[in-house]
Amino acid sequence: MINLILLGLPGAGKGTASERIVDKYHLTHISTGDMFREAMANKTKVGLEAKSYIDKGNLVPDKVTAKLVEERLGQPDIKNGYILDGFPRTTVQAELLEGITKRLNKPLTNVISLEVNEKTLIKRLSARFMCKNCGATYNKISKMPKVKNTCDRCGGHEFYQREDDKPEVVKNRLKVNEKMNTPLKDFYQKKGLLTVINGEQTPEKVFEDIDTVLSNNQ
Ligand code: AMP
């Protein structure tokens, strides 16, 4: 069983790596960012509460986020294991997650941190765009849709740039996330769960490195 956290600053390649991991290991991908975007689009209570934080590039309060994750991890489709992408982002969340995984009896097996320097992150985030229909992520430099103006995943034709990928917000997001990242890595290093991977490599090589770690687990 693999129950994995992917750590990494926004733009480090967690989404792309997750897709490849899901293809091979059939884990359930849980992205708190995606869940918040969906909640905002549906104007649910959580979505409305989260919007004011997200639009400024700040973090949604830990308790709100942890509750969302606990509900999701408790669902029955998570039988082959999970990938947490974008959660935890603070040590408080990491501690809350310990409680959640204990209550649900779904212990973590690996924490992988994708490391990319800040210049590359800013470049990647400003080039990123999304399918309006299904949320698939593309990149003007490295990952255009295979057919022009058509989403590879759902065939949709409308795309947009995330509000929080705009340059004014990106700097704050990186600052907020960077401050939390080192203590979070230390937390998992101490538990013997952490592997660091160079996220500057091609997506293929990044996946190869992740695969080496995960295949040792089976
Ligand atoms: P992401 O798509 O992971 O970059 O998340 C987009 C935004 O959603 C973040 O900038 C936060 O405002 C919010 N968010 C996502 N995950 C978390 C989390 N674990 N804790 C707090 N806020 C989060």
Side-chain angles (χ1 to χ4, degrees):
M1 171 70 75
I2 297 170
N3 291 326
L4 166 72
I5 295 177
L6 266 188
L7 294 181
L9 295 173
K14 301 188 293 293
T16 303
S18 295
E19 281 175 18
R20 289 170 192 241
I21 299 168
V22 168
D23 275 351
K24 172 149 186 192
Y25 292 96
H26 310 290
L27 309 181
T28 303
H29 177 224
I30 300 174
S31 152
T32 42
D34 286 350
M35 287 167 79
F36 281 132
R37 279 183 288 281
E38 199 185 318
M40 288 193 296
N42 294 330
K43 298 200 167 59
T44 65
K45 194 167 156 254
V46 168
L48 295 174
E49 187 176 356
K51 187 170 168 36
S52 58
Y53 300 96
I54 293 176
D55 283 351
K56 294 193 195 78
N58 292 327
L59 293 182
V60 178
D62 291 329
K63 286 218 169 110
V64 178
T65 313
K67 186 158 170 268
L68 198 74
V69 171
E70 179 147 17
E71 281 169 11
R72 183 67 190 91
L73 276 179
Q75 284 168 22
D77 62 322
I78 305 185
K79 42 185 187 310
N80 293 324
Y82 56 80
I83 310 177
L84 284 174
D85 163 358
F87 181 90
R89 268 192 165 78
T90 65
T91 44
V92 173
Q93 290 182 7
E95 276 155 10
L96 290 169
L97 179 64
E98 293 219 302
I100 295 172
T101 55
K102 272 202 190 108
R103 283 193 288 282
L104 298 174
N105 193 23
K106 291 180 175 149
L108 274 178
T109 57
N110 298 83
V111 178
I112 291 179
S113 174
L114 297 179
E115 312 264 311
V116 174
N117 77 47
E118 188 173 304
K119 235 173 144 179
T120 311
L121 294 174
I122 292 175
K123 209 166 95 193
R124 285 187 188 172
L125 290 174
S126 55
R128 180 156 84 173
F129 64 99
M130 328 270 292
C131 170
K132 215 169 189 171
N133 182 46
C134 75
T137 304
Y138 297 94
N139 190 293
K140 284 181 207 153
I141 305 162
S142 57
K143 193 187 169 197
M144 290 296 282
K146 292 195 181 88
V147 178
K148 203 176 169 203
N149 260 326
T150 306
C151 175
D152 296 347
R153 196 201 281 169
C154 75
H157 297 298
E158 283 188 85
F159 298 90
Y160 73 105
Q161 184 183 35
R162 274 171 56 174
E163 248 347 281
D164 59 352
D165 278 347
K166 296 190 172 155
E168 321 73 89
V169 184
V170 160
K171 287 219 167 97
N172 186 45
R173 271 173 78 207
L174 289 179
K175 203 171 79 199
V176 166
N177 283 284
E178 235 162 15
K179 210 174 90 199
M180 310 290 182
N181 204 37
T182 309
L184 203 52
K185 277 185 0 201
D186 290 348
F187 181 95
Y188 288 117
Q189 174 83 54
K190 285 196 190 107
K191 295 191 182 290
L193 290 171
L194 183 74
T195 310
V196 171
I197 286 178
N198 175 6
E200 300 271 348
Q201 311 175 96
T202 61
E204 289 72 28
K205 182 71 176 71
V206 168
F207 179 66
E208 218 178 285
D209 288 0
I210 293 175
D211 198 21
T212 305
V213 176
L214 298 183
S215 54
N216 278 334
N217 226 2
Q218 291 202 309

